Amino acid sequence: NIHNINILKKKHINISYRNKNMKLKDVFFVIVILVGLSQLEEVLGQSNLEPPCRDDPFFQFGTFQWNGKTYTRTCAWLTENANLIDKRKEDWCDQTIGNYFVVHEKCPETCGKCVDRSNPNCSMDYPIGWHDSTGEEYNCNWYAGGENCNMWGNSFPKYGRTANQACCACGGGCTNMPLLFRDSLGRDCEWYAAKPSRCEEHGYRYRNNGYVANEACCACDGGSAPGND
């Protein structure tokens, strides 16, 4: 249920055994939690949770000898010698190991393969006041923290949109289109956004380059937003 999902999002279900003589009811509680986790995909109604973009700390891709010592190649090894960082990345990040893994797939942070999801041209989160289906506290400000977009951005839709569609920080939101729109009197979307009444009074007039504010500006319910197709 929603309560258990929120616990997972906040605490990642950290079960600790504090009492060696655990009572029967405590055992039952742990079983319920584990069963709940096994049904998480069904609860979410989706299977597209994405892990955060992190190097695999256990990944190893060979060893070598140098000055009588044996060294193991890991993601951390790629950058441990400041004088060799560029060379090691160039030599190894695109190498396929054992016909199974490309190094940059296991070391995405170090090899620069993590994708910034944010939308640099985003004008505003859309719809205004969006939060996900698990509670008002899980709004675009919450998703902007840490790896929340990567982990949860495709889940828990609300108002017909997930965080990856609704939030600028996750690559969604609304973008004024054209980006540098000005009406025929030279007024841009920020001018329209300053007072809500301006969209109603002027947004359908003063067409410029084929657009009026009600078509171009997010503040006037125009612009481009994922899910508006």
Side-chain angles (χ1 to χ4, degrees):
N1 56 37
I2 296 298
H3 176 68
N4 285 339
I5 292 173
N6 286 345
I7 291 175
L8 177 61
K9 290 166 75 174
K10 292 178 180 177
K11 301 180 180 179
H12 299 281
I13 306 297
N14 181 22
I15 302 172
S16 61
Y17 298 89
R18 298 180 179 177
N19 191 335
K20 293 182 180 179
N21 298 318
M22 187 177 290
K23 297 180 181 180
L24 181 60
K25 65 178 182 180
D26 295 324
V27 175
F28 178 76
F29 173 76
V30 171
I31 293 174
V32 169
I33 290 295
L34 293 176
V35 171
L37 284 174
S38 71
Q39 299 299 318
L40 180 59
E41 182 175 320
E42 179 179 347
V43 172
L44 296 179
Q46 312 186 41
S47 60
N48 55 358
L49 287 179
E50 298 179 24
C53 187
R54 291 283 186 265
D55 289 349
D56 183 346
F58 303 106
F59 178 60
Q60 298 179 357
F61 50 104
T63 61
F64 66 95
Q65 300 283 333
W66 181 256
N67 288 337
K69 295 183 179 180
T70 301
Y71 295 87
T72 301
R73 297 186 186 95
T74 64
C75 297
W77 170 82
L78 291 169
T79 58
E80 68 180 13
N81 186 327
N83 296 322
L84 297 175
I85 291 176
D86 291 340
K87 177 173 174 46
R88 287 181 177 179
K89 287 184 179 182
E90 182 178 352
D91 290 346
W92 288 99
C93 280
D94 292 327
Q95 290 292 323
T96 300
I97 306 301
N99 295 323
Y100 294 105
F101 300 108
V102 179
V103 171
H104 69 239
E105 294 174 346
K106 288 294 189 176
C107 308
E109 283 183 295
T110 297
C111 292
K113 296 298 183 178
C114 292
V115 177
D116 180 5
R117 289 184 172 274
S118 64
N119 179 0
N121 295 317
C122 188
S123 302
M124 56 185 281
D125 298 326
Y126 184 84
I128 296 174
W130 181 90
H131 58 82
D132 74 20
S133 59
T134 65
E136 293 184 2
E137 65 186 290
Y138 300 109
N139 53 29
C140 289
N141 287 335
W142 183 86
Y143 275 92
E147 294 289 340
N148 293 331
C149 291
N150 283 328
M151 293 184 68
W152 308 101
N154 284 326
S155 302
F156 315 113
K158 184 73 172 179
Y159 310 124
R161 287 177 169 81
T162 62
N164 284 352
Q165 296 172 315
C167 302
C168 295
C170 297
C174 183
T175 302
N176 296 328
M177 192 63 65
L179 291 174
L180 302 178
F181 168 81
R182 288 183 180 271
D183 67 19
S184 60
L185 298 182
R187 300 175 299 200
D188 60 13
C189 290
E190 290 186 6
W191 182 86
Y192 280 93
K195 290 185 179 181
S197 61
R198 290 177 176 174
C199 292
E200 182 177 351
E201 294 173 4
H202 308 290
Y204 64 94
R205 301 188 289 174
Y206 310 112
R207 186 173 296 276
N208 189 26
N209 292 326
Y211 294 91
V212 294
N214 286 352
E215 298 167 338
C217 300
C218 296
C220 299
D221 288 331
S224 175
N228 277 358
D229 300 333

